[in-house]
Amino acid sequence: MSIEITMPRLSDTMEEGTLVKWRVKPGDEVASGDHLADVETDKATMELQAFDDGKVAALAVEEGDTVPVGSPILVLAEDGESLDDAAAALDGASVSSGGDSASVAASEGGVAVADPPQTDTATTISGRPSESTGSRLRVSPVARKIAEEHGVDVTVLKGTGPDGRIIKRDVLAVVEGQSTQAAAPAPTQAAKAKAATTPSVPVAAVGMEAKTINLTNMRKTIARRLVESKTTVPHFQVSMSINMDPLMDLRKTLNVQLEAQGVKLSVNDFITRATALACLSHPAANSSWNGDTIIQHGTVNVGVAVSLPEERGGGLVVPVIRDAQNKGLRQISEETKRLAKKARETGLSPEEMADGTITLSNLGMYGVDQFTAIINPPQSVILAVGGAIEKPVVRDGQIVVGHVMSATLSGDHRVIDGAQGAEYLASFKQLLENPASLLV
């Protein structure tokens, strides 16, 4: 019996998901736990894993399609079952099949639909016979609609979708090419003569491309939550400058000693631990707003902001280092590197981003001196740290060159007062300026 896989609910607020990339194709053998696809939710791009063994019989949606939670997206054939029989189990939904069936994957607005009946000879959108093949022409409804609007002959296109299917990007490539390659009228004799007598002038620089970018589900969620935070949370900021010379020296010494073990501590690892330890003395910074109550958390879960590359939609995700107050520098370093790598390559699970109690945002690696960050509700504090910048400083009445880092705390004034924020930041500064305290 075939196994139908539907769009799962990968987060508590997810209503629909976008199939970003298929990691399998019809005919592939898969086992439980295998990576089937990358799915973008309202929070992040995450892995869709198989929970059964089987052979991929059909893909019900194409890359880029957004479908509601619970919609069929893939069907597996069990051992001994033909791919065509398994694909037929989608009960009329149009799929991209690995068997000999003529069914084709198609979706419009997230709902799987069947292509209209065709004769044995494929036809173009204008009804002309296809010159490329005597089999059915595979065109998604979205691609067909765009082709009709722009007069594109789909029979001459080479599809890049599953099994050679013509999809949206194939038609758009032709449309964009037509707009940029339109022939200019031939110059007249008078125009040629004028051009020959007109002195040449420098060519103006090419302008930037104007375009409209559709928001991903994650970008929509980021926009909504940031607006909610800035309009409903009374932010305040306090800043301090921190002498980073002792930490830089200690880090260099430790990394030389740990090099043989393949361990390299970053400045951010020290900052993460200091963020957690300072909360032990200042629980207001590790608290959450809960309407008519304030929740002081019994453990420190530090969220570490991670930027995503453009190919994964850009934006930020915040993996969480749980119980950070009880973890040493090496463990914090390992977890941070692992979570950041997973976030940028395959996506994080909801559990890996849940339950943060305070957030750290570090833009020092970009050369940023100082900035302020927006609170991540219901948390009460986010720390924004810049780089450890070499600059002239006054030490013992003398001007010397030292490493100085700026740290800015943004606090929710409903939960934490300005004086409490300053006291927390003073403890944070004390820990970093005496980094041996971070080793115990």
Side-chain angles (χ1 to χ4, degrees):
M1 182 178 179
S2 62
I3 302 168
E4 184 180 272
I5 296 177
T6 60
M7 177 63 70
R9 189 181 300 277
L10 296 173
S11 72
D12 53 351
T13 58
M14 179 178 171
E15 298 297 333
E16 61 184 15
T18 300
L19 200 297
V20 177
K21 184 175 183 61
W22 282 112
R23 300 293 180 175
V24 295
K25 61 183 181 300
D28 285 354
E29 295 276 359
V30 299
S32 178
D34 284 355
H35 184 181
L36 299 178
D38 295 335
V39 174
E40 182 190 73
T41 73
D42 57 339
K43 293 184 177 179
T45 299
M46 292 181 265
E47 293 182 6
L48 172 63
Q49 295 184 347
F51 293 97
D52 297 283
D53 301 340
K55 181 178 289 188
V56 178
L59 308 178
V61 298
E62 68 181 47
E63 292 178 356
D65 284 348
T66 299
V67 298
V69 169
S71 298
I73 58 174
L74 179 147
V75 65
L76 297 178
E78 291 189 318
D79 189 28
E81 184 180 18
S82 74
L83 298 184
D84 282 343
D85 289 344
L90 283 176
D91 193 25
S94 178
V95 299
S96 173
S97 172
D100 295 331
S101 170
S103 58
V104 182
S107 66
E108 186 79 53
V111 180
V113 295
D115 280 346
Q118 297 186 5
T119 61
D120 290 339
T121 302
T123 59
T124 69
I125 56 174
S126 60
R128 299 191 306 274
S130 168
E131 299 175 1
S132 58
T133 167
S135 61
R136 183 179 180 181
L137 183 65
R138 303 183 175 199
V139 188
S140 76
V142 175
R144 187 186 302 279
K145 181 179 179 181
I146 296 174
E148 289 174 347
E149 292 174 350
H150 295 275
V152 175
D153 185 353
V154 294
T155 63
V156 300
L157 301 184
K158 182 178 180 181
T160 60
D163 294 332
R165 184 179 179 214
I166 298 170
I167 57 179
K168 178 181 177 181
R169 64 169 174 258
D170 301 323
V171 180
L172 287 178
V174 176
V175 173
E176 293 170 359
Q178 290 175 342
S179 64
T180 58
Q181 296 176 10
T188 63
Q189 290 296 328
K192 291 179 180 179
K194 182 178 180 181
T197 58
T198 301
S200 61
V201 295
V203 178
V206 177
M208 296 180 66
E209 179 186 3
K211 59 182 178 181
T212 299
I213 301 173
N214 293 325
L215 292 178
T216 63
N217 292 336
M218 186 174 71
R219 274 290 185 189
K220 292 176 183 177
T221 300
I222 290 173
R224 175 178 55 80
R225 284 181 57 81
L226 290 179
V227 170
E228 288 177 358
S229 179
K230 286 296 286 184
T231 56
T232 64
V233 177
H235 285 60
F236 74 90
Q237 282 83 28
V238 289
S239 300
M240 285 189 182
S241 294
I242 300 171
N243 174 16
M244 296 293 283
D245 283 338
L247 190 150
M248 303 297 281
D249 292 339
L250 177 61
R251 173 178 175 261
K252 182 177 180 180
T253 300
L254 290 175
N255 281 340
V256 170
Q257 295 173 352
L258 295 172
E259 184 177 7
Q261 302 175 41
V263 176
K264 185 175 183 179
L265 301 174
S266 69
V267 172
N268 198 67
D269 298 330
F270 289 86
I271 295 173
T272 302
R273 180 153 168 78
T275 300
L277 292 182
C279 287
L280 300 181
S281 303
H282 307 281
N286 194 52
S287 302
S288 297
W289 176 254
N290 191 38
D292 55 358
T293 61
I294 294 173
I295 300 173
Q296 285 192 355
H297 301 285
T299 187
V300 186
N301 299 333
V302 180
V304 181
V306 174
S307 63
L308 298 180
E310 288 302 320
E311 56 267 26
R312 294 194 64 80
L316 293 174
V317 292
V318 186
V320 174
I321 309 297
R322 297 174 184 273
D323 300 317
Q325 80 282 3
N326 294 324
K327 293 178 177 176
L329 290 168
R330 182 183 301 199
Q331 189 173 0
I332 288 174
S333 179
E334 291 173 352
E335 285 193 30
T336 303
K337 289 182 174 68
R338 176 181 62 81
L339 290 170
K341 184 174 185 291
K342 185 178 180 186
R344 292 178 175 129
E345 293 182 357
T346 61
L348 299 168
S349 69
E351 291 76 16
E352 291 168 326
M353 296 184 288
D355 304 325
T357 60
I358 186 171
T359 297
L360 171 65
S361 182
N362 186 348
L363 292 180
M365 67 285 295
Y366 298 104
V368 172
D369 289 349
Q370 182 178 6
F371 71 106
T372 60
I374 300 174
I375 296 168
N376 185 19
Q379 297 172 24
S380 63
V381 163
I382 184 169
L383 275 179
V385 298
I389 308 296
E390 276 193 307
K391 59 178 62 177
V393 295
V394 177
R395 303 262 169 83
D396 299 324
Q398 301 294 320
I399 297 178
V400 298
V401 176
H403 290 86
V404 179
M405 183 185 80
S406 174
T408 300
L409 176 148
S410 295
D412 181 344
H413 226 317
R414 300 171 300 180
V415 179
I416 182 171
D417 297 329
Q420 291 175 306
E423 290 167 356
Y424 171 87
L425 209 52
S427 294
F428 177 75
K429 172 185 172 82
Q430 179 74 12
L431 287 164
L432 292 179
E433 291 187 344
N434 298 275
S437 60
L438 300 173
L439 302 180
V440 295

